[in-house]
Amino acid sequence: MQFTDSHCHLDFTEFSHDLPKLLQQCFAQNIHRIIVPSVKPEHWQRVLTLANEKNTEVNIACALGFHPWFLILQDLDLSKKLHLKNLDLTFQEQQLRQAISKNRNKIIAIGECGIDVFKAKKNTENEQAFNENLNLQQAFFEMQLVLAKENNLPVIVHHCQSHQLILPLLKQHKLEKLGVIHAFSGSYQQAKDYIDLGFKLGIGGTITYPRAKKTINTIKRLPLSSLLLETDAPAMPPLGQQGMINSPLNLIKVFQALTLIRDEPEEFIAEQLDVNVEQLFFSE
Ligand SMILES: [Zn+2]
């Protein structure tokens, strides 16, 4: 059996002290491939460099994009924020467009992009600021959907309390290459809405927590062909490692939790999961 971590922030400083060793350990655990999404322009070069890393047996692939958290700044009112280049949609669209065209054959997706309602609520002082932030997140997300479509690339989508905002945009923009709803949690109906559009769902450490009953029951009922395995490391550690730095090595724990949820034999599950990754990110 061999595995792909379809969402791991290997470019974060948490992993910089001994990356070669970590990659060796991953390969020894049959984690043969890792997909690294990026969160902001300052990280684009880092993920591209990682994807170009020749000194490892692990196959590393990368994506370029703006994480919605990049758009949530505390302690600044919006009038000041809008003067920041960071939040200037036209400027950032230009940046991303250029980076994609320069590196088109080195990237496999746009992301991570999306909408995070939870974080927007937590970091804004009043309803107006909250609504303004959501509009900004939505505009950046749409901009990335448009670029994904133009470049025939799939998207890696971040969600948090935002299915009701994300789904209509995905329906509207009709991407040819579709994408993945990463770290999926939600109801069967929400999952089915994405799957009916052709999207895949990223399954991570959440399913190792018995309290995640709703998500676990959802995943039990979904077609195996719609699932991808991921860690989201260094975030989202599995059960027993709360508060610790998550590692791509925990992918095996997520896989084991999945085999307990599903009825299919272990090897069959592993094989199908890797086929899913191939189909979404590595096929023409
Ligand atoms: Zn992520």
Side-chain angles (χ1 to χ4, degrees):
M1 291 189 288
Q2 52 179 14
F3 305 96
T4 298
D5 188 346
S6 68
H7 194 111
C8 173
H9 297 282
L10 265 193
D11 58 314
F12 283 20
T13 49
E14 281 89 339
F15 300 120
S16 54
H17 61 286
D18 207 356
L19 193 58
K21 187 174 161 206
L22 178 62
L23 290 171
Q24 250 173 29
Q25 289 170 327
C26 284
F27 197 73
Q29 299 273 333
N30 295 321
I31 300 163
H32 74 117
R33 185 161 52 190
I34 298 178
I35 296 175
V36 188
S38 54
V39 293
K40 52 184 174 183
E42 293 89 326
H43 285 224
W44 293 348
Q45 196 46 57
R46 285 197 229 170
V47 301
L48 286 163
T49 305
L50 274 173
N52 200 31
E53 178 61 60
K54 299 277 185 285
N55 259 333
T56 174
E57 289 163 298
V58 178
N59 181 350
I60 304 174
C62 74
L64 301 182
F66 298 96
H67 194 291
W69 292 3
F70 172 75
L71 305 167
I72 301 170
L73 303 175
Q74 276 173 289
D75 308 323
L76 264 183
D77 66 50
L78 197 81
S79 59
K80 282 189 200 135
K81 282 182 193 170
L82 288 176
H83 286 100
L84 294 174
K85 270 195 174 155
N86 268 357
L87 306 186
D88 182 326
L89 183 69
T90 319
F91 172 77
Q92 293 297 10
E93 179 175 1
Q94 196 78 6
Q95 295 265 94
L96 185 54
R97 192 183 290 278
Q98 276 170 11
I100 295 169
S101 70
K102 201 173 141 205
N103 302 289
R104 177 61 187 84
N105 57 355
K106 296 182 192 141
I107 61 176
I108 55 147
I110 298 297
E112 96 180 68
C113 54
I115 301 175
D116 194 318
V117 171
F118 176 76
K119 201 86 168 176
K121 252 184 221 156
K122 227 176 122 192
N123 290 283
T124 46
E125 283 141 23
N126 53 45
E127 208 180 317
Q128 193 197 345
F130 168 72
N131 287 327
E132 281 170 352
N133 184 264
L134 271 194
N135 286 339
L136 192 67
Q137 287 196 41
Q138 194 152 321
F140 266 73
F141 183 41
E142 285 205 75
M143 174 269 276
Q144 294 178 85
L145 293 177
V146 169
L147 288 181
K149 191 169 180 171
E150 272 178 29
N151 289 281
N152 203 25
L153 285 165
V155 283
I156 298 172
V157 180
H158 170 100
H159 76 85
C160 195
Q161 298 181 358
S162 53
H163 293 312
Q164 77 289 359
L165 297 174
I166 287 172
L167 198 67
L169 292 176
L170 295 181
K171 279 186 182 159
Q172 188 191 325
H173 287 273
K174 295 192 175 60
L175 300 191
E176 197 128 324
K177 285 288 183 158
L178 305 162
V180 57
I181 310 301
H182 121 78
F184 176 80
S185 66
S187 68
Y188 176 72
Q189 191 51 52
Q190 285 162 337
K192 197 152 174 321
D193 287 343
Y194 289 119
I195 292 172
D196 287 348
L197 283 180
F199 276 75
K200 308 230 183 273
L201 307 176
I203 306 305
T206 307
I207 62 166
T208 62
Y209 292 84
R211 65 161 190 262
K213 272 205 183 72
K214 186 169 78 174
T215 301
I216 288 171
N217 285 329
T218 297
I219 289 164
K220 206 191 273 285
R221 298 168 62 195
L222 297 175
L224 201 54
S225 59
S226 65
L227 307 182
L228 300 185
L229 218 53
E230 63 166 65
T231 61
D232 201 13
M236 293 185 75
L239 182 70
Q241 297 184 24
Q242 291 96 315
M244 291 164 69
I245 293 170
N246 193 11
S247 155
L249 291 167
N250 283 323
L251 192 71
I252 307 302
K253 286 206 169 79
V254 179
F255 173 70
Q256 280 159 354
L258 184 64
T259 61
L260 296 178
I261 294 171
R262 303 290 305 197
D263 295 327
E264 300 92 338
E266 234 180 67
E267 303 215 342
F268 181 84
I269 296 174
E271 206 166 299
Q272 182 63 51
L273 289 170
D274 236 35
V275 167
N276 299 344
V277 172
E278 280 292 332
Q279 195 207 339
L280 178 59
F281 294 114
F282 299 96
S283 66
E284 281 309 306

